[in-house]
Amino acid sequence: MPRHTPLYDWGKRVTTAFPDLPVATARVLADWSYGLVLAHTCGLATGALTLAALLGQAVITVRQGLREFYQPADQKAGRGRTALDPATCCTPLVRWITAGWADKRVALAFDATNLGDTFHILAAARRWCSLP
């Protein structure tokens, strides 16, 4: 597998930003986010295709690795697989987003949408607020 330095550097940033995630989970999160940005889409197939071309891997292999990211532990291949608990990502994500902000005051609005038992979407919006 060819080494893609920007992806490797992004992976280090993600693992540093999410210290409570297992390294393998943070690595897949980095791959997901990097592939989606490059593909300009949030689709699994396009993200996998983009990453596969970048890494010189088979599309089906990359796609399966990305799919397992959001699946329950008992539906993943191999031993010792764990499920991702999204709650472990909230605090580190907000901390990462607000790093370097002089004023930490921000109002966030969250909307959870469930698509059956398969997908759960959390939409977030921010609004700057200037409190007295």
Side-chain angles (χ1 to χ4, degrees):
M1 172 172 89
R3 177 183 160 117
H4 186 71
T5 303
L7 176 57
Y8 180 78
D9 292 342
W10 179 245
K12 288 195 301 188
R13 289 186 71 182
V14 170
T15 55
T16 301
F18 297 91
D20 294 335
L21 288 181
V23 174
T25 302
R27 184 76 231 165
V28 176
L29 179 60
D31 290 351
W32 252 111
S33 56
Y34 196 81
L36 298 180
V37 167
L38 288 180
H40 301 285
T41 184
C42 291
L44 173 62
T46 309
L49 182 66
T50 303
L51 273 177
L54 181 74
L55 299 173
Q57 294 181 353
V59 175
I60 189 112
T61 303
V62 174
R63 185 179 185 278
Q64 180 62 25
L66 295 177
R67 266 187 77 233
E68 286 188 0
F69 179 73
Y70 58 80
Q71 291 179 328
D74 61 348
Q75 293 183 11
K76 296 180 180 186
R79 293 182 296 171
R81 301 299 176 129
T82 58
L84 173 67
D85 179 10
T88 62
C89 299
C90 291
T91 301
L93 182 61
V94 171
R95 191 173 290 133
W96 191 16
I97 291 169
T98 59
W101 287 8
D103 187 1
K104 300 287 186 187
R105 294 178 294 186
V106 63
L108 297 175
F110 292 99
D111 173 52
T113 302
N114 298 314
L115 300 175
D117 292 332
T118 307
F119 292 102
H120 308 284
I121 301 166
L122 180 62
R126 66 158 170 76
R127 180 173 177 88
W128 299 103
C129 47
S130 211
L131 302 175

